[in-house]
Amino acid sequence: NPFTKDLQVTAIRGARRYLGDKLIRTAAPHRILDPAAGPLIAVRLNILTRKSLGGLETDLDSRVLTEGGAPLDGVYAAGEAAGFGGGGVHGYRSLEGTFLGGCVFSGRAAGRAAARAVS
Ligand SMILES: Cc1cc2nc3c(=O)[nH]c(=O)nc-3n(C[C@H](O)[C@H](O)[C@H](O)COP(=O)(O)OP(=O)(O)OC[C@H]3O[C@@H](n4cnc5c(N)ncnc54)[C@H](O)[C@@H]3O)c2cc1C
């Protein structure tokens, strides 16, 4: 339906128009069982979490906070476990390539705070 405003269809049309995607990521529309468009290829998928989008609540020293907001003594969390893999510091605007930075940053904060706590 050329008049549809369905977001997924709109996104597919956008991808087909974008030259980078057009060259390597899209196939010309065709009937799925059309032998001329074959061969069909089966792909075994393994479910994998790419972004946690959540995790243990921490403060700026990566100390894990309890429900009441007080730090849990001696417990730190960083990276995905602390929600830095997805939203984290980037919030809704987190894009490809922005996860590792927050993970490393929160790990550094945790390491420094833990070292301070025992020195
Ligand atoms: C397919 C994919 C593509 C990605 N692409 C990008 C990208 O292009 N750019 C980007 O910035 N980020 C990307 N990310 C996200 C980024 O890789 C992760 O956010 C980041 O690696 C998380 O680091 P982490 O140290 O917090 O957790 P992890 O790397 O998950 O490390 C956790 C470690 O803990 C270990 N572990 C788990 N349970 C136990 C246990 N009980 N005892 C001991 N060890 C345990 C695990 O084996 C693992 O080694 C991608 C992620 C995926 C899955």
Side-chain angles (χ1 to χ4, degrees):
N1 175 357
F3 295 104
T4 184
K5 285 183 174 174
D6 178 89
L7 286 180
Q8 219 160 358
V9 174
T10 307
I12 291 169
R13 287 191 183 138
R16 287 190 190 288
R17 273 198 301 273
Y18 171 63
L19 186 61
D21 286 338
K22 200 172 177 175
L23 293 175
I24 59 168
R25 283 185 163 163
T26 58
H30 59 268
R31 295 173 63 89
I32 196 162
L33 294 179
D34 179 0
L40 291 177
I41 299 170
V43 178
R44 184 191 296 264
L45 296 178
N46 294 297
I47 305 298
L48 169 78
T49 302
R50 201 159 168 229
K51 303 184 188 184
S52 57
L53 292 176
L56 297 164
E57 191 180 0
T58 51
D59 64 10
L60 292 176
D61 282 333
S62 295
R63 294 180 301 178
V64 171
L65 303 178
T66 58
E67 219 171 311
L72 185 59
D73 204 28
V75 180
Y76 300 81
E80 289 282 357
F84 276 85
V89 285
H90 300 287
Y92 288 125
R93 301 208 182 280
S94 63
L95 294 171
E96 306 301 313
T98 61
F99 315 149
L100 281 176
C103 292
V104 172
F105 168 76
S106 55
R108 179 175 179 262
R112 289 187 158 196
R116 265 199 317 274
V118 295
S119 62

